[in-house]
Amino acid sequence: MADRASVSEAIHGNHAGIGAPIFRTPSNAFSVKIPKVPCHLFEEERLAALDDATPAGAIALDLSARLGLAYPATTPSLLARYLILDDSSALELSTNATGEMYYVASGHGASSKGDVKLEWQAGDVFCMPGGGVTTHRAGRGRALLLQCTDEPMLNFLGVRPRDPADGVIKPTLYRGSEIDLILKDVHSRAGTDVAGKAVFCTTPIGEATSTVTPMMVGVINTLEAGGDQRAHRHNAVALTFCIQGEGCHSVIEGQRVDWRKFGVMVTPPTEAHSHHNRGQELMRSFVMQDSGLYYHTRAVGFAYCD
């Protein structure tokens, strides 16, 4: 009997540029073995980003080797970077992403794409469409931005972003002063049974799901001094950027992770996690998630764990 390769060649021919069909008959179609998303705190990258001796540029928070991916990725769908800026030259970056989301950790400056320019300062959040070139420059001295994109998702799908000029995702600035006023109102409410007291930065395209882009969530999350955030889980991954976290820690599937100022922590999808503030100040973080994907597929999977 002819082997499978020769049978396939006889049926489909052997022509250049035509893919060879592969057939599998697994006894369990759900037994695919792929690396898990690890619980991780990017300490080496954080220290480099905060070191004045580190030259201006981008530091990718890359776990692609642990994820078994051939392209930079913090998670299978998100890629985060520290952007170190100074006032001597502009930093130009092009991303294969639908959109770019930023938190301004320190300093002030401006970012532009096409004819649109956004001027920002510490505490602001802003977004840009993906594709094309985004130009960043610090105002005076140095500035530190955290960038998050969905580049790994587009690389996985093998697609390119739309032209940023099509206006689907518009450059948008969320002033830190406005966020503070909204948070003050949120904290004035009593008896809210939610996983956190937070402000979601949204746009018209993501208003129905409280997302910045169709897939990415950007949210300022808080927790009072002495407070405990109720343990919960969800199908979306979470990248937590610590803005103020002295005395704070998380427990992820029983593992304690102590927060570090301007550090980024990965909370793997579906894993039970809680946050705890044993410091004297309000805990504050910028949380980035791929939640829009799960809202769209009706598979959010949110549940409390107690």
Side-chain angles (χ1 to χ4, degrees):
M1 180 178 177
D3 61 25
R4 187 179 69 176
S6 61
V7 170
S8 177
E9 184 175 319
I11 295 174
H12 299 277
N14 185 17
H15 304 288
I18 298 178
I22 298 174
F23 305 96
R24 298 183 66 242
T25 58
S27 58
N28 181 357
F30 299 98
S31 62
V32 176
K33 301 295 184 183
I34 52 177
K36 292 182 61 177
V37 176
C39 173
H40 188 79
L41 183 67
F42 291 93
E43 181 63 4
E44 181 179 336
E45 294 84 351
R46 180 186 78 93
L47 292 175
L50 297 178
D51 189 343
D52 288 339
T54 301
I59 301 175
L61 307 186
D62 187 12
L63 293 177
S64 57
R66 295 179 65 177
L67 295 170
L69 300 175
Y71 40 80
T74 310
T75 78
S77 59
L78 300 175
L79 175 62
R81 296 181 179 90
Y82 289 112
L83 303 187
I84 304 166
L85 311 177
D86 62 31
D87 54 11
S88 64
S89 61
L91 177 63
E92 296 184 343
L93 291 176
S94 179
T95 63
N96 183 45
T98 63
E100 304 165 358
M101 190 163 58
Y102 299 87
Y103 181 84
V104 184
S106 64
H108 63 94
S111 298
S112 60
K113 175 162 284 187
D115 296 330
V116 179
K117 180 179 179 180
L118 299 179
E119 296 186 350
W120 40 258
Q121 60 186 1
D124 290 347
V125 175
F126 67 97
C127 71
M128 289 284 190
V133 175
T134 306
T135 302
H136 308 280
R137 186 189 291 271
R140 179 180 298 177
R142 287 166 68 94
L144 179 64
L145 306 181
L146 184 76
Q147 179 200 64
C148 185
T149 74
D150 57 1
E151 291 169 80
M153 179 59 72
L154 271 66
N155 286 326
F156 169 68
L157 295 173
V159 298
R160 305 294 298 175
R162 290 178 169 181
D163 186 327
D166 70 5
V168 172
I169 296 174
K170 298 182 184 298
T172 307
L173 176 65
Y174 308 86
R175 287 290 183 199
S177 55
E178 292 183 74
I179 293 171
D180 287 343
L181 287 174
I182 298 169
L183 276 173
K184 185 176 181 180
D185 178 65
V186 170
H187 278 269
S188 69
R189 305 173 192 168
T192 51
D193 183 24
V194 293
K197 293 183 177 180
V199 174
F200 287 75
C201 299
T202 66
T203 60
I205 196 173
E207 189 172 8
T209 51
S210 298
T211 57
V212 175
T213 71
M215 192 181 79
M216 292 192 296
V217 160
V219 54
I220 300 293
N221 194 25
T222 63
L223 182 65
E224 298 93 337
D228 298 285
Q229 196 175 90
R230 192 175 176 186
H232 59 283
R233 65 174 82 243
H234 37 70
N235 289 338
V237 76
L239 303 179
T240 301
F241 179 66
C242 172
I243 302 168
Q244 161 52 41
E246 186 173 354
C248 296
H249 70 276
S250 298
V251 177
I252 304 173
E253 287 293 331
Q255 176 182 345
R256 175 174 171 143
V257 181
D258 291 307
W259 287 30
R260 298 286 185 267
K261 186 176 179 64
F262 294 162
V264 176
M265 174 181 67
V266 179
T267 301
T270 75
E271 294 196 353
H273 56 283
S274 59
H275 308 305
H276 310 273
N277 186 353
R278 297 295 173 264
Q280 301 301 311
E281 298 183 48
L282 182 74
M283 176 271 276
R284 193 179 178 106
S285 63
F286 181 61
V287 182
M288 301 144 283
Q289 296 181 270
D290 53 3
S291 304
L293 175 64
Y294 297 96
Y295 282 115
H296 181 66
T297 56
R298 281 63 170 176
V300 175
F302 181 90
Y304 290 115
C305 301
D306 49 10

